[in-house]
Amino acid sequence: MESSGPVNPALVFSLRLVTERAACAAFNWIGKGEGAEGARDGLDAMRDALSLIDIDAIVVIGETTKGDGSQPQRGERLGRPASSFKADIALDPVEGTSYLVRGLTNALAVLAVAPRGAMMDPGPAFYMEKFVASPPARGRIDPHWPPAKKLEVLARTLGKDVSDLTVFVLEKPRHRELVRAIIEAGARVALYPAGDVAGALMAAIPDSGIDALMGTGGTPEGVMSACAIRAIGGEFLGRLDPQLQTEARAVKEAGIDTARWYDRDEIVASDNVFFCATGITTGLMLEGIERSKTHYKVQTMMITGMTGERQILTSYIPNDRLAAIAARDVA
Protein backbone atom coordinates (compact mmCIF):
# COMPACT_ATOMS: atom_id res chain seq x y z
CA MET A 1 0.00 0.00 0.00
CA GLU A 2 1.38 3.41 -0.99
CA SER A 3 1.95 5.78 1.90
CA SER A 4 -0.09 8.97 1.93
CA GLY A 5 -0.03 12.18 3.85
CA PRO A 6 -2.22 12.56 6.94
CA VAL A 7 -5.93 12.58 6.15
CA ASN A 8 -8.47 14.61 8.05
CA PRO A 9 -11.60 12.55 8.82
CA ALA A 10 -13.57 15.66 7.84
CA LEU A 11 -12.68 14.85 4.21
CA VAL A 12 -15.95 12.92 4.11
CA PHE A 13 -17.85 16.23 4.19
CA SER A 14 -16.09 17.26 0.98
CA LEU A 15 -16.61 13.87 -0.64
CA ARG A 16 -20.36 14.05 -0.01
CA LEU A 17 -20.47 16.95 -2.47
CA VAL A 18 -19.37 14.49 -5.17
CA THR A 19 -22.30 12.13 -4.69
CA GLU A 20 -24.74 14.99 -4.10
CA ARG A 21 -23.80 16.67 -7.39
CA ALA A 22 -24.08 13.34 -9.20
CA ALA A 23 -27.48 12.62 -7.67
CA CYS A 24 -28.83 16.05 -8.65
CA ALA A 25 -27.58 15.59 -12.22
CA ALA A 26 -29.12 12.12 -12.51
CA PHE A 27 -32.39 13.23 -10.91
CA ASN A 28 -33.44 14.92 -14.15
CA TRP A 29 -33.59 11.49 -15.85
CA ILE A 30 -35.90 9.73 -13.37
CA GLY A 31 -38.61 7.81 -15.20
CA LYS A 32 -37.40 8.83 -18.66
CA GLY A 33 -36.04 5.45 -19.77
CA GLU A 34 -32.52 6.80 -20.35
CA GLY A 35 -30.35 5.31 -17.61
CA ALA A 36 -27.11 5.76 -19.52
CA GLU A 37 -27.81 9.48 -20.01
CA GLY A 38 -28.47 9.93 -16.32
CA ALA A 39 -25.30 8.05 -15.41
CA ARG A 40 -23.24 10.09 -17.90
CA ASP A 41 -24.49 13.36 -16.44
CA GLY A 42 -23.85 12.04 -12.94
CA LEU A 43 -20.31 10.94 -13.79
CA ASP A 44 -19.49 14.33 -15.32
CA ALA A 45 -20.73 15.96 -12.11
CA MET A 46 -18.56 13.60 -10.04
CA ARG A 47 -15.43 14.40 -12.05
CA ASP A 48 -16.05 18.13 -11.72
CA ALA A 49 -16.67 17.97 -7.97
CA LEU A 50 -13.57 15.81 -7.37
CA SER A 51 -11.42 18.37 -9.18
CA LEU A 52 -12.13 20.76 -6.30
CA ILE A 53 -11.15 18.32 -3.51
CA ASP A 54 -7.68 17.74 -2.03
CA ILE A 55 -7.31 14.14 -3.15
CA ASP A 56 -5.28 12.33 -5.83
CA ALA A 57 -7.48 9.35 -6.68
CA ILE A 58 -7.13 6.55 -9.21
CA VAL A 59 -10.18 4.57 -10.31
CA VAL A 60 -9.55 0.95 -9.29
CA ILE A 61 -12.78 -0.52 -10.63
CA GLY A 62 -14.31 0.72 -13.84
CA GLU A 63 -14.62 0.11 -17.54
CA THR A 64 -11.48 -1.09 -19.35
CA THR A 65 -12.68 0.44 -22.62
CA LYS A 66 -14.46 3.68 -23.35
CA GLY A 67 -17.93 2.07 -23.50
CA ASP A 68 -20.90 4.45 -23.44
CA GLY A 69 -19.25 6.88 -21.01
CA SER A 70 -21.67 6.15 -18.18
CA GLN A 71 -19.00 4.54 -15.97
CA PRO A 72 -15.47 5.71 -15.08
CA GLN A 73 -12.42 4.31 -16.82
CA ARG A 74 -10.23 1.96 -14.82
CA GLY A 75 -6.95 3.75 -14.12
CA GLU A 76 -8.55 7.18 -14.62
CA ARG A 77 -7.04 9.85 -12.37
CA LEU A 78 -9.46 12.11 -10.52
CA GLY A 79 -9.06 15.00 -8.12
CA ARG A 80 -5.78 16.90 -7.80
CA PRO A 81 -2.52 15.12 -8.74
CA ALA A 82 -0.48 17.34 -6.37
CA SER A 83 -2.48 16.25 -3.31
CA SER A 84 -0.59 14.40 -0.59
CA PHE A 85 -3.50 11.95 -0.13
CA LYS A 86 -2.89 9.26 -2.76
CA ALA A 87 -6.06 7.21 -2.94
CA ASP A 88 -7.95 4.43 -4.64
CA ILE A 89 -11.51 5.30 -5.59
CA ALA A 90 -14.54 3.32 -6.68
CA LEU A 91 -17.65 5.18 -7.73
CA ASP A 92 -21.00 4.73 -9.39
CA PRO A 93 -22.99 7.80 -10.45
CA VAL A 94 -26.22 5.75 -10.56
CA GLU A 95 -26.28 2.53 -8.55
CA GLY A 96 -29.59 1.00 -9.50
CA THR A 97 -29.95 2.29 -13.07
CA SER A 98 -33.08 0.18 -13.58
CA TYR A 99 -34.67 2.02 -10.64
CA LEU A 100 -33.82 5.39 -12.19
CA VAL A 101 -35.24 4.70 -15.65
CA ARG A 102 -38.47 3.27 -14.22
CA GLY A 103 -38.86 5.92 -11.52
CA LEU A 104 -38.60 3.32 -8.77
CA THR A 105 -36.99 3.38 -5.33
CA ASN A 106 -33.40 2.77 -4.17
CA ALA A 107 -31.32 4.56 -6.86
CA LEU A 108 -28.13 5.98 -5.32
CA ALA A 109 -25.00 7.90 -6.26
CA VAL A 110 -22.10 6.18 -4.45
CA LEU A 111 -18.36 6.43 -3.90
CA ALA A 112 -15.73 4.84 -1.69
CA VAL A 113 -12.17 5.98 -1.08
CA ALA A 114 -9.19 4.18 0.50
CA PRO A 115 -5.41 4.75 0.56
CA ARG A 116 -3.62 3.91 -2.69
CA GLY A 117 -3.22 0.15 -3.05
CA ALA A 118 -5.77 -0.73 -0.35
CA MET A 119 -8.66 -1.71 -2.62
CA MET A 120 -8.82 -5.15 -4.19
CA ASP A 121 -8.25 -5.20 -7.95
CA PRO A 122 -10.80 -7.70 -9.29
CA GLY A 123 -9.36 -7.69 -12.80
CA PRO A 124 -12.01 -8.43 -15.46
CA ALA A 125 -14.58 -9.79 -12.97
CA PHE A 126 -17.84 -7.83 -13.18
CA TYR A 127 -19.83 -9.99 -10.76
CA MET A 128 -19.27 -11.04 -7.16
CA GLU A 129 -21.17 -13.39 -4.86
CA LYS A 130 -21.57 -11.80 -1.43
CA PHE A 131 -22.55 -12.56 2.12
CA VAL A 132 -23.12 -9.56 4.38
CA ALA A 133 -24.28 -9.31 7.98
CA SER A 134 -23.94 -7.05 11.03
CA PRO A 135 -20.94 -6.89 13.42
CA PRO A 136 -21.97 -9.79 15.72
CA ALA A 137 -21.62 -12.16 12.73
CA ARG A 138 -18.01 -11.17 12.04
CA GLY A 139 -15.92 -14.35 11.74
CA ARG A 140 -18.87 -16.63 12.57
CA ILE A 141 -19.99 -17.64 9.05
CA ASP A 142 -18.19 -20.05 6.74
CA PRO A 143 -19.02 -18.89 3.20
CA HIS A 144 -18.86 -22.49 1.93
CA TRP A 145 -21.81 -23.53 4.08
CA PRO A 146 -25.20 -24.01 2.38
CA PRO A 147 -27.74 -21.21 2.94
CA ALA A 148 -29.62 -23.11 5.65
CA LYS A 149 -26.48 -23.55 7.79
CA LYS A 150 -25.51 -19.90 7.33
CA LEU A 151 -28.95 -18.78 8.45
CA GLU A 152 -29.00 -21.17 11.40
CA VAL A 153 -25.68 -19.83 12.71
CA LEU A 154 -26.60 -16.22 11.93
CA ALA A 155 -29.89 -16.54 13.81
CA ARG A 156 -28.13 -18.03 16.84
CA THR A 157 -25.49 -15.27 16.71
CA LEU A 158 -28.13 -12.54 16.58
CA GLY A 159 -30.31 -14.14 19.25
CA LYS A 160 -33.20 -14.67 16.85
CA ASP A 161 -35.18 -17.53 15.37
CA VAL A 162 -34.46 -18.28 11.71
CA SER A 163 -38.09 -17.39 11.01
CA ASP A 164 -37.36 -13.85 12.21
CA LEU A 165 -34.51 -13.30 9.71
CA THR A 166 -34.97 -11.21 6.56
CA VAL A 167 -32.46 -11.70 3.73
CA PHE A 168 -31.94 -9.17 0.94
CA VAL A 169 -31.57 -10.85 -2.48
CA LEU A 170 -31.47 -9.30 -5.93
CA GLU A 171 -34.47 -10.40 -7.98
CA LYS A 172 -32.60 -12.20 -10.77
CA PRO A 173 -33.15 -15.57 -12.49
CA ARG A 174 -29.76 -16.76 -11.19
CA HIS A 175 -31.10 -16.56 -7.64
CA ARG A 176 -34.10 -18.88 -7.97
CA GLU A 177 -32.42 -21.75 -6.14
CA LEU A 178 -31.01 -19.41 -3.48
CA VAL A 179 -34.44 -17.90 -2.82
CA ARG A 180 -35.97 -21.36 -2.57
CA ALA A 181 -33.26 -22.44 -0.10
CA ILE A 182 -33.76 -19.37 2.09
CA ILE A 183 -37.52 -19.88 2.25
CA GLU A 184 -37.15 -23.62 2.93
CA ALA A 185 -34.80 -22.74 5.80
CA GLY A 186 -37.65 -20.67 7.28
CA ALA A 187 -36.35 -17.13 6.71
CA ARG A 188 -37.98 -14.27 4.80
CA VAL A 189 -36.67 -12.95 1.49
CA ALA A 190 -36.67 -9.25 0.53
CA LEU A 191 -36.40 -9.20 -3.28
CA TYR A 192 -35.29 -6.07 -5.13
CA PRO A 193 -34.44 -5.77 -8.85
CA ALA A 194 -31.27 -3.75 -8.15
CA GLY A 195 -29.53 -1.79 -5.42
CA ASP A 196 -27.23 -4.20 -3.61
CA VAL A 197 -25.18 -1.35 -2.10
CA ALA A 198 -28.25 -0.30 -0.11
CA GLY A 199 -28.98 -3.95 0.66
CA ALA A 200 -25.45 -4.59 1.88
CA LEU A 201 -25.43 -1.51 4.10
CA MET A 202 -28.80 -2.39 5.59
CA ALA A 203 -27.58 -5.93 6.29
CA ALA A 204 -24.50 -4.58 8.08
CA ILE A 205 -26.41 -2.10 10.24
CA PRO A 206 -27.99 -3.73 13.32
CA ASP A 207 -31.77 -3.55 13.69
CA SER A 208 -32.26 -2.17 10.16
CA GLY A 209 -34.90 -4.72 9.22
CA ILE A 210 -32.46 -6.58 6.93
CA ASP A 211 -30.37 -9.29 8.64
CA ALA A 212 -28.23 -10.48 5.73
CA LEU A 213 -27.51 -10.02 2.06
CA MET A 214 -26.88 -13.12 -0.05
CA GLY A 215 -26.35 -13.74 -3.75
CA THR A 216 -24.43 -12.35 -6.71
CA GLY A 217 -24.30 -8.69 -7.72
CA GLY A 218 -21.83 -6.25 -9.18
CA THR A 219 -18.14 -6.34 -8.21
CA PRO A 220 -17.79 -2.52 -8.01
CA GLU A 221 -20.79 -2.41 -5.70
CA GLY A 222 -19.19 -5.16 -3.63
CA VAL A 223 -15.91 -3.30 -3.17
CA MET A 224 -17.66 -0.04 -2.32
CA SER A 225 -19.89 -1.84 0.18
CA ALA A 226 -16.89 -3.60 1.74
CA CYS A 227 -15.27 -0.22 2.42
CA ALA A 228 -18.35 1.01 4.27
CA ILE A 229 -18.85 -2.27 6.10
CA ARG A 230 -15.24 -2.42 7.28
CA ALA A 231 -15.72 1.06 8.73
CA ILE A 232 -18.77 0.01 10.76
CA GLY A 233 -17.41 -3.40 11.74
CA GLY A 234 -19.81 -5.63 9.83
CA GLU A 235 -19.16 -8.91 8.04
CA PHE A 236 -18.53 -8.98 4.29
CA LEU A 237 -17.40 -12.05 2.35
CA GLY A 238 -17.02 -12.06 -1.43
CA ARG A 239 -16.29 -14.50 -4.25
CA LEU A 240 -15.73 -13.44 -7.87
CA ASP A 241 -18.57 -15.08 -9.78
CA PRO A 242 -18.58 -14.46 -13.57
CA GLN A 243 -22.03 -14.49 -15.17
CA LEU A 244 -21.16 -13.79 -18.81
CA GLN A 245 -19.23 -16.05 -21.17
CA THR A 246 -16.85 -13.27 -22.15
CA GLU A 247 -16.32 -12.38 -18.49
CA ALA A 248 -15.71 -16.02 -17.51
CA ARG A 249 -13.14 -16.39 -20.30
CA ALA A 250 -11.32 -13.20 -19.30
CA VAL A 251 -11.31 -14.20 -15.63
CA LYS A 252 -9.91 -17.63 -16.49
CA GLU A 253 -7.21 -16.10 -18.68
CA ALA A 254 -6.28 -13.77 -15.81
CA GLY A 255 -5.72 -16.80 -13.56
CA ILE A 256 -8.34 -15.77 -11.03
CA ASP A 257 -9.60 -18.50 -8.69
CA THR A 258 -13.40 -18.21 -8.73
CA ALA A 259 -13.74 -20.77 -5.93
CA ARG A 260 -11.94 -18.53 -3.44
CA TRP A 261 -13.86 -16.45 -0.94
CA TYR A 262 -12.25 -13.16 0.08
CA ASP A 263 -12.53 -11.74 3.57
CA ARG A 264 -13.65 -8.15 4.04
CA ASP A 265 -10.14 -7.05 5.00
CA GLU A 266 -8.69 -8.59 1.83
CA ILE A 267 -11.14 -6.62 -0.29
CA VAL A 268 -10.17 -3.37 1.43
CA ALA A 269 -6.94 -3.47 3.43
CA SER A 270 -7.20 -0.26 5.45
CA ASP A 271 -9.37 1.29 8.14
CA ASN A 272 -8.72 4.71 6.62
CA VAL A 273 -11.73 4.56 4.32
CA PHE A 274 -14.46 6.98 3.34
CA PHE A 275 -17.90 6.17 1.95
CA CYS A 276 -20.70 8.40 0.71
CA ALA A 277 -24.07 7.53 -0.79
CA THR A 278 -26.73 10.05 -1.81
CA GLY A 279 -30.32 9.03 -2.50
CA ILE A 280 -31.64 9.77 -5.99
CA THR A 281 -34.96 8.02 -5.45
CA THR A 282 -36.28 7.16 -1.98
CA GLY A 283 -35.36 3.67 -0.83
CA LEU A 284 -34.43 1.35 2.02
CA MET A 285 -31.65 3.55 3.31
CA LEU A 286 -32.08 7.15 2.18
CA GLU A 287 -34.70 9.64 1.06
CA GLY A 288 -34.61 10.58 -2.60
CA ILE A 289 -34.15 14.05 -4.02
CA GLU A 290 -36.97 16.56 -3.77
CA ARG A 291 -36.87 19.62 -5.99
CA SER A 292 -38.75 22.83 -5.34
CA LYS A 293 -38.72 26.17 -7.15
CA THR A 294 -35.73 27.26 -5.09
CA HIS A 295 -33.87 24.19 -3.77
CA TYR A 296 -32.86 20.59 -4.20
CA LYS A 297 -33.33 18.64 -0.96
CA VAL A 298 -30.80 15.78 -0.81
CA GLN A 299 -29.91 13.15 1.80
CA THR A 300 -26.48 11.55 2.10
CA MET A 301 -25.03 8.78 4.25
CA MET A 302 -21.40 9.42 5.19
CA ILE A 303 -19.14 6.81 6.83
CA THR A 304 -15.60 7.45 8.07
CA GLY A 305 -13.37 4.48 8.83
CA MET A 306 -10.92 6.19 11.17
CA THR A 307 -13.68 7.23 13.57
CA GLY A 308 -16.29 4.56 12.79
CA GLU A 309 -18.90 7.30 12.56
CA ARG A 310 -21.99 6.91 10.39
CA GLN A 311 -23.98 10.05 9.68
CA ILE A 312 -26.98 10.94 7.54
CA LEU A 313 -27.03 14.56 6.42
CA THR A 314 -29.95 16.35 4.77
CA SER A 315 -28.88 19.34 2.66
CA TYR A 316 -30.80 22.05 0.83
CA ILE A 317 -28.92 23.14 -2.29
CA PRO A 318 -30.09 26.34 -4.00
CA ASN A 319 -31.08 25.78 -7.62
CA ASP A 320 -29.02 28.77 -8.73
CA ARG A 321 -25.93 27.21 -7.13
CA LEU A 322 -26.27 24.10 -9.32
CA ALA A 323 -27.05 26.26 -12.35
CA ALA A 324 -23.86 28.24 -11.76
CA ILE A 325 -21.84 25.02 -11.57
CA ALA A 326 -23.38 23.77 -14.83
CA ALA A 327 -22.67 27.10 -16.56
CA ARG A 328 -19.04 27.01 -15.42
CA ASP A 329 -18.66 23.46 -16.77
CA VAL A 330 -19.99 24.49 -20.20
CA ALA A 331 -17.66 27.49 -20.26
Side-chain angles (χ1 to χ4, degrees):
M1 197 168 15
E2 186 174 323
S3 61
S4 299
V7 185
N8 188 334
L11 175 65
V12 75
F13 289 96
S14 297
L15 291 172
R16 72 164 172 92
L17 299 176
V18 180
T19 55
E20 289 180 357
R21 298 296 183 264
C24 289
F27 173 82
N28 298 315
W29 294 96
I30 292 175
K32 295 186 177 180
E34 294 289 345
E37 292 290 342
R40 273 195 291 271
D41 285 356
L43 181 57
D44 287 343
M46 281 183 152
R47 288 184 175 122
D48 180 68
L50 280 163
S51 72
L52 305 176
I53 296 174
D54 188 22
I55 183 174
D56 177 19
I58 291 180
V59 176
V60 174
I61 302 172
E63 294 185 343
T64 55
T65 59
K66 294 216 173 199
D68 63 5
S70 63
Q71 293 296 322
Q73 291 276 114
R74 185 179 303 173
E76 183 177 353
R77 200 166 190 175
L78 301 171
R80 297 180 171 181
S83 172
S84 62
F85 181 35
K86 308 299 180 184
D88 289 341
I89 190 168
L91 45 85
D92 192 342
V94 181
E95 202 278 310
T97 304
S98 63
Y99 287 135
L100 183 77
V101 300
R102 294 158 63 192
L104 299 177
T105 62
N106 265 343
L108 301 170
V110 190
L111 69 75
V113 167
R116 184 79 47 85
M119 281 188 192
M120 171 187 178
D121 180 356
F126 301 134
Y127 289 93
M128 174 186 284
E129 183 180 1
K130 306 157 193 175
F131 177 87
V132 182
S134 58
R138 177 73 178 146
R140 301 290 186 90
I141 304 297
D142 184 332
H144 299 95
W145 288 341
K149 179 71 178 291
K150 291 176 183 173
L151 295 173
E152 176 190 347
V153 174
L154 179 62
R156 188 163 60 245
T157 300
L158 299 180
K160 295 184 175 185
D161 293 330
V162 172
S163 60
D164 292 327
L165 297 179
T166 300
V167 182
F168 181 102
V169 180
L170 290 177
E171 190 174 12
K172 306 290 182 183
R174 62 178 175 264
H175 289 147
R176 286 176 186 146
E177 290 302 317
L178 173 62
V179 169
R180 184 177 296 112
I182 292 169
I183 293 172
E184 287 178 354
R188 300 184 184 91
V189 177
L191 285 171
Y192 289 86
D196 58 338
V197 169
L201 267 290
M202 295 294 285
I205 296 171
D207 303 317
S208 69
I210 299 292
D211 298 291
L213 175 144
M214 298 172 70
T216 295
T219 300
E221 291 81 1
V223 173
M224 288 187 287
S225 298
C227 288
I229 290 165
R230 173 160 182 160
I232 61 179
E235 179 66 296
F236 186 104
L237 301 166
R239 180 184 69 84
L240 299 177
D241 186 23
Q243 298 297 303
L244 309 170
Q245 288 186 350
T246 52
E247 178 193 7
R249 184 165 54 250
V251 166
K252 184 176 180 180
E253 290 172 354
I256 295 172
D257 181 3
T258 57
R260 177 184 174 187
W261 282 86
Y262 293 86
D263 179 71
R264 180 197 72 188
D265 294 354
E266 293 178 293
I267 297 170
V268 56
S270 174
D271 288 322
N272 191 16
V273 295
F274 298 89
F275 174 90
C276 293
T278 299
I280 304 173
T281 57
T282 296
L284 279 170
M285 192 170 68
L286 294 166
E287 294 178 5
I289 291 176
E290 296 178 17
R291 184 171 60 187
S292 69
K293 292 181 179 180
T294 58
H295 289 78
Y296 282 80
K297 177 186 174 185
V298 299
Q299 191 170 82
T300 300
M301 175 178 283
M302 303 175 293
I303 300 175
T304 307
M306 292 300 290
T307 63
E309 292 179 354
R310 182 178 81 250
Q311 303 171 71
I312 293 179
L313 179 69
T314 300
S315 302
Y316 295 81
I317 305 172
N319 290 344
D320 55 5
R321 168 64 177 157
L322 291 177
I325 292 171
R328 184 193 65 206
D329 292 344
V330 172

